Amino acid sequence: MDGSVSQSHQRAGLRLALLALAQFIIAIDYNIVFVALPDIGDALGFSPQTLQWVVSSYAVAFGGFLLFGGRAADRLGARRVFVIALVLFGVSALVGGLANSPEVLVLARAVQGLGGALLFPSTLTLIVTSFAEGRERNRALAVWGSTGSGGLAAGALLGGVLTGSLGWAWVFFSMVPLVVIALIGAPLLLAPDAPRSGDRGGFDVPGALVVTVGATLVVFGLVSGPEAGWTAPRALGSLVVGALLIASFFLIEAKTSAPLAPLRMFGNRSLITSMLVAFLHMSALSGGYYLFTTYIQNILGYDALQAGLAFLPLGLLAMIAGGKVAASMLNKSGLRTTLFIGMLVYGIGMAAMAAGMSTGGTYWSVLPGVAIYGFGGGLAFTTIFATAGSGVDASEQGVASALASTAQQVGAAVGLAALIVIANSGLDVSAGAATPAVADVVDGLRAAGWVAAGAAVLGALVALNLKKAPSSTAVPADEGREVTVSS
């Protein structure tokens, strides 16, 4: 009896490690490319205007296909989609490393974004459906969240190390062995998908097409705005058409018998709150990475490896906060309090980082703010997705996580675009313009930092929309105690 229980616990631990590895793959890929961009541009002949599409092509595909990926996990089976996603991710990473032209690399990155859009919701669905709601799931989500934060830190560091020692191609090749390990573990550790039954319904093909194209166009318009101009057809036209398609998506969902995202889900208070907070969280996070990187490289003169090392305190504290601290606070204080504190601390850290930026400043002047915002951001990240899955049926966990993550991706595009505009508002960035004064650059970065801090604090206030009253659900703790989980 004891042996079977121990074996079951060991298997559950290995299953969680596999799912955490999948999240690590997604997270590390988010950051590992940035420091390699100058080398990629030189090697493949990207222009300064087109180089951003090494990042943007991934973001457009990831953001556009997330909702499709979430529903695919619910309808086709999370394990099946998990494996398909890993194959797409690994093959596209290999092609990206072997690319010899800008077109091939951008296409490979787009396919990698599609793989990520399938992998993220299927991973989160497997976590939510494999671990009971309460203490067990909180711990699993904490491991998942802290691994994601660790991946962000490792991405920045490894990007600098690999680019400097082996060349830019290895930021893509390094993904392949991680994917192979995950593919080997999937059939061994993940339970087979349940047979499809009639009550699962069909797949909403018109809704999937409309929302995928609509979301893709919205993200494409957002990432095109800073480069092409917000009134250019490429940016404004994409935003308008995308918004119209998304509006029509809701009409389709109201009439179809098997909706991609049932409209009743938008009446789930926890889900809607998590989506709003996710939008504001990522708006500040994407801008924070940009502001911090710009400051230490353009103002302090750090090279790629030094910049990667500079991110370590942020990533380590985010791992700690998103792991054991988040699990403990979720069990003791509940979703509402934990999410509020996480976003508030996040905003305070952003403000402290902005305040530490000056023409005569050093890394140590911004480190306290960076550390605080890393801790708060990690705590909030884990809690956002615990909130998104709260009270959602197991058959709809994929689409719930996809809705929250879609809000994140749109928030990232909006936040980055807005903060770049604010940071550059006092600079002459036209072709042939003189190099802007350091003081003007720092003033712009500081102003953008204050706005990012405000977005995070607004997210803390939105978190108060969650229900305050605790649920009566009690789940057994490891020590045999009962722990009441607040909502």
Side-chain angles (χ1 to χ4, degrees):
M1 180 75 173
D2 290 341
S4 62
V5 172
S6 176
Q7 188 175 14
S8 176
H9 279 213
Q10 183 180 25
R11 185 174 178 82
L14 290 173
R15 184 186 307 119
L16 179 56
L18 170 64
L19 298 173
L21 173 61
Q23 172 63 3
F24 182 81
I25 291 171
I26 297 171
I28 196 173
D29 189 66
Y30 182 87
N31 257 8
I32 198 170
V33 174
F34 281 97
V35 293
L37 287 177
D39 291 65
I40 292 172
D42 292 340
L44 298 185
F46 281 93
S47 69
Q49 290 73 32
T50 60
L51 184 58
Q52 68 153 327
W53 285 102
V54 177
V55 175
S56 297
S57 58
Y58 179 91
V60 168
F62 191 96
F65 282 91
L66 263 170
L67 193 54
F68 172 83
R71 207 47 167 170
D74 291 335
R75 288 287 188 247
L76 305 178
R79 190 180 87 159
R80 187 175 293 113
V81 174
F82 181 83
V83 171
I84 293 170
L86 285 170
V87 171
L88 283 173
F89 205 97
V91 171
S92 58
L94 182 61
V95 172
L98 296 172
N100 56 8
S101 70
E103 294 79 12
V104 172
L105 182 56
V106 169
L107 179 60
R109 288 288 287 165
V111 176
Q112 205 171 10
L114 171 60
L118 296 174
L119 185 59
F120 185 90
S122 61
T123 300
L124 197 53
T125 298
L126 287 165
I127 285 180
V128 172
T129 56
S130 299
F131 299 92
E133 186 167 7
R135 184 180 181 88
E136 184 180 344
R137 186 182 298 174
N138 289 342
R139 177 189 294 166
L141 285 168
V143 172
W144 170 84
S146 63
T147 304
S149 299
L152 290 175
L157 177 59
L158 284 177
V161 172
L162 291 173
T163 302
S165 58
L166 298 175
W168 65 266
W170 282 91
V171 303
F172 299 105
F173 291 151
S174 62
M175 298 289 101
V176 177
L178 298 178
V179 169
V180 170
I181 292 171
L183 282 171
I184 293 172
L188 299 175
L189 298 171
L190 301 178
D193 295 318
R196 294 191 62 193
S197 57
D199 61 350
R200 273 188 158 188
F203 197 89
D204 178 18
V205 176
L209 290 173
V210 167
V211 76
T212 298
V213 175
T216 300
L217 286 173
V218 167
V219 178
F220 178 80
L222 289 169
V223 299
S224 297
E227 176 194 350
W230 291 104
T231 58
R234 189 173 114 194
L236 183 60
S238 296
L239 288 171
V240 170
V241 174
L244 290 174
L245 286 174
I246 290 174
S248 66
F249 165 73
F250 287 100
L251 297 177
I252 294 172
E253 298 305 279
K255 296 180 179 180
T256 185
S257 59
L260 189 69
L263 295 184
R264 57 181 165 71
M265 293 187 71
F266 295 95
N268 184 314
R269 187 165 168 178
S270 294
L271 176 58
I272 293 301
T273 300
S274 74
M275 289 174 65
L276 291 172
V277 177
F279 178 92
L280 293 165
H281 177 275
M282 204 64 181
S283 295
L285 181 67
S286 61
Y289 273 115
Y290 168 80
L291 299 175
F292 181 52
T293 300
T294 301
Y295 181 74
I296 61 177
Q297 289 188 300
N298 293 4
I299 303 302
L300 302 185
Y302 281 29
D303 60 24
L305 178 57
Q306 290 172 322
L309 290 170
F311 272 95
L312 273 181
L314 185 157
L316 291 174
L317 284 166
M319 282 183 66
I320 294 169
K324 290 187 176 181
V325 175
S328 176
M329 288 190 65
L330 284 168
N331 282 309
K332 294 179 181 178
S333 304
L335 295 171
R336 184 175 187 263
T337 300
T338 306
L339 190 55
F340 171 77
I341 291 175
M343 290 300 293
L344 182 62
V345 172
Y346 187 23
I348 292 171
M350 281 282 186
M353 181 183 74
M357 292 179 175
S358 66
T359 54
T362 65
Y363 174 67
W364 304 107
S365 64
V366 294
L367 181 59
V370 168
I372 294 170
Y373 111 63
F375 186 91
L379 180 59
F381 179 83
T382 298
T383 312
I384 285 169
F385 288 95
T387 304
S390 178
V392 176
D393 188 81
S395 65
E396 295 174 340
Q397 285 292 338
V399 74
S401 64
L403 285 168
S405 189
T406 299
Q408 270 196 326
Q409 296 305 311
V410 174
V414 171
L416 184 59
L419 292 175
I420 286 176
V421 169
I422 293 169
N424 294 335
S425 60
L427 309 178
D428 184 357
V429 294
S430 60
T435 302
V438 172
D440 292 337
V441 174
V442 172
D443 287 344
L445 294 175
R446 191 186 298 117
W450 287 113
V451 173
V457 172
L458 179 59
L461 298 177
V462 172
L464 296 177
N465 182 57
L466 291 170
K467 292 180 181 179
K468 185 177 182 181
S471 68
S472 58
T473 303
V475 293
D478 287 345
E479 299 82 359
R481 295 179 285 112
E482 283 201 338
V483 180
T484 300
V485 180
S486 302
S487 60

